[in-house]
Amino acid sequence: MTDLQPKQDRSRATRQRLLETTIRCLATHGWEASTVGFIAAEAGISRGAVQHHYRTREALILGALEFMFDERAALLDALPEPTGTGLDRVHTVVAGLVETIGGELFRAALQVWTVAAADPELRAAVLPLERHFARGVHDRAVRLLRVDDADPEIRALIQATLDLARGLALADVLTDDSRRRARVVRAWSTQLADAFEGISPDSQDT
C-alpha cells in the first residue's frame, strides 16, 4: 500500500504536467504543431508515457480542454468578493471576469474551437464541456454581482457581459489591447450598473 501511493502521486503529477503543457502548446504553437510527440517533448516525458494516460491525440486534447475549463472555473472562484456597491462593485466584477476569461487558457481553447467548427466529431465532444463551463461562469457572475437572473432582462445583461468578455479576449489574441479593453470595461460597467439600478428591486437580491 505504501508503494502504491507514491506511484499514484507520480501518475497524477505526470498527468497534470502533460495537460498544462498541452494547453501551453495549443496557446503558443497552435493546433497543427501540437502533436503527441511535440507535446511529449515539451513536457519532458516519453511518447509512451503520454499514451499511457491518453491513447489518442484527440483524447489528450479533450482531457486538456476539460482541465482548462476546470482551471478557468477555479480562477473565477478565486476572485475576491467585491466590497463596494453600485458602479464600483459592478466594475470590479466585470474587470475580474474579463481578465479571467482571457489569457492563455482562452487562446488554447480558441485553437480547439476553430478546429471543432469543421470537425463534427470533435464539435460533438467539445460542446457539452463548453456548455457546462458557460453555465458555471454565468452562475458565478450572478453570485458576484448579487442579482437575480430569474428576471429575463438581468439574465440577458449577464450573457451580454460574458459575450463582451470573450470578444475582448479575442481582440487581445494578436495584439496587447489592454488600454482599449480598460476603457470598454469601464463604459460597459457604467451601463450595466445603470441598467441594474433601473430594474425593479423586486427582481434583485438585497
Side-chain angles (χ1 to χ4, degrees):
M1 193 69 176
T2 54
D3 291 338
L4 182 59
Q5 188 62 42
K7 288 181 180 178
Q8 291 176 335
D9 290 343
R10 285 196 299 273
S11 179
R12 280 193 293 268
T14 298
R15 183 182 294 110
Q16 179 164 338
R17 185 165 79 251
L18 176 58
L19 295 175
E20 289 173 346
T21 302
T22 301
I23 292 169
R24 187 176 68 253
C25 288
L26 284 168
T28 305
H29 302 287
W31 175 273
E32 292 298 330
S34 298
T35 62
V36 171
F38 182 78
I39 292 169
E42 290 289 302
I45 60 180
S46 69
R47 186 186 181 99
V50 175
Q51 292 175 326
H52 171 74
H53 293 284
Y54 299 97
R55 293 177 63 87
T56 66
R57 182 195 188 204
E58 288 71 21
L60 173 59
I61 296 294
L62 288 174
L65 192 63
E66 187 168 7
F67 176 76
M68 186 188 328
F69 286 150
D70 289 343
E71 288 291 290
R72 289 169 74 190
L75 288 173
L76 290 169
D77 286 338
L79 290 175
E81 185 73 19
T83 56
T85 58
L87 175 58
D88 287 343
R89 183 183 188 89
V90 171
H91 180 259
T92 298
V93 173
V94 172
L97 289 170
V98 168
E99 290 302 315
T100 303
I101 286 175
E104 182 181 72
L105 296 176
F106 178 85
R107 290 194 298 273
L110 183 61
Q111 292 291 324
V112 180
W113 295 334
T114 301
V115 176
D119 184 332
E121 188 174 339
L122 181 61
R123 184 167 65 249
V126 167
L127 276 176
L129 297 175
E130 172 62 28
R131 286 169 180 158
H132 176 74
F133 174 72
R135 284 194 298 271
V137 175
H138 183 99
D139 291 344
R140 288 168 175 84
V142 168
R143 175 179 58 79
L144 289 167
L145 289 166
R146 291 183 180 172
V147 293
D148 181 5
D149 70 339
D151 184 302
E153 188 174 352
I154 289 180
R155 189 171 187 84
L157 288 168
I158 296 293
Q159 189 57 57
T161 301
L162 299 179
D163 287 345
L164 173 72
R166 283 189 287 266
L168 290 174
L170 183 60
D172 201 42
V173 168
L174 294 179
T175 59
D176 180 2
D177 207 32
S178 54
R179 289 187 178 181
R180 176 177 174 274
R181 185 168 66 246
R183 292 196 299 270
V184 171
V185 166
R186 172 60 69 177
W188 175 247
S189 298
T190 300
Q191 293 185 49
L192 192 60
D194 288 345
F196 286 156
E197 185 69 24
I199 296 173
S200 170
D202 293 337
S203 66
Q204 300 186 47
D205 293 336
T206 57

